[in-house]
Amino acid sequence: MNDAEPLRVDDTFTDEERERGRKLFAQTCTFLLGAAQQEQIPESDFPEIAFAGRSNVGKSSLINALTCRKALARTSHTPGRTQQVNFFDLGGRLVLADLPGYGYARAPKGEVQKWTRLVNAYLKGRVQLKRVQLLIDARHGLKDVDHTLMTMLDQAAVSYQVTLTKVDKIKANVVEDILQKTHTELARHVAAHPIIRCTSAAKNLGVEDLRAELARLISPPGQMSG
Ligand code: GDP
């Protein structure tokens, strides 16, 4: 994308696309496994969507809202599972990968290196990975640590989309400011999707659209299978 591209914060979906998204995410979602190191990353032929973001960004809450589960992604908060990529099967049609949170203020250097090694290993050659949803707290916007991950994604040529979380916590005009600022910053990143999504897991805002978008991603118009 380039600087001249107008700000696009949303996209519209047909009722049919929304229904497809609803159906996709209404399917049974089960925890497959957690990979703490490269050798444990499973091979798979299913399309995959990954979720990334700073610790506490609201990643578990959004995955739970998408899949209409109360505690599915809480599994990532289980001690010992925080520093791993957690894989979930969605109805045998899609794999959701919950990447370990990053950006702890006092994370020891060794932990940061471990995170970087694991995430790079995951991103490398993951052809089935359709998209990374990069979650950003709407109150804070992009931070340096987010840019670090964005650069890793650019280098791995993995498409990613910024998804603002917790938009219920700020006023609409503040959301606009954050969107403008984020959009400008995204222009420097080659693999960034130009549309920014706004969500609130707490108020169920933007969740239906995100489902529709992810359903569209795994079966684009013309190849829809229901
Ligand atoms: P994670 O560490 O990224 O998985 O974050 P969590 O999903 O555990 O959320 C971190 C905190 O933010 C928790 O206290 C959640 O209740 C809160 N939270 C998450 N999503 C929202 C949201 O959409 N709105 C509000 N107001 N709070 C949220």
Side-chain angles (χ1 to χ4, degrees), residues 113-167:
Q113 283 171 347
K114 214 168 110 192
W115 181 94
T116 308
R117 248 197 325 272
L118 177 64
V119 173
N120 267 328
Y122 167 71
L123 295 176
K124 204 168 140 218
R126 194 86 181 154
V127 288
Q128 69 272 44
L129 180 57
K130 301 289 178 196
R131 160 91 58 86
V132 173
Q133 294 303 130
L134 174 57
L135 274 43
I136 302 293
D137 191 317
R139 296 168 300 174
H140 309 313
L142 291 169
K143 300 280 180 198
D144 285 350
V145 277
D146 299 311
H147 283 285
T148 303
L149 174 60
M150 287 158 78
T151 301
M152 286 163 69
L153 292 164
D154 289 335
Q155 285 168 353
V158 172
S159 163
Y160 58 97
Q161 179 176 46
V162 167
T163 301
L164 298 184
T165 60
K166 311 188 191 180
V167 294

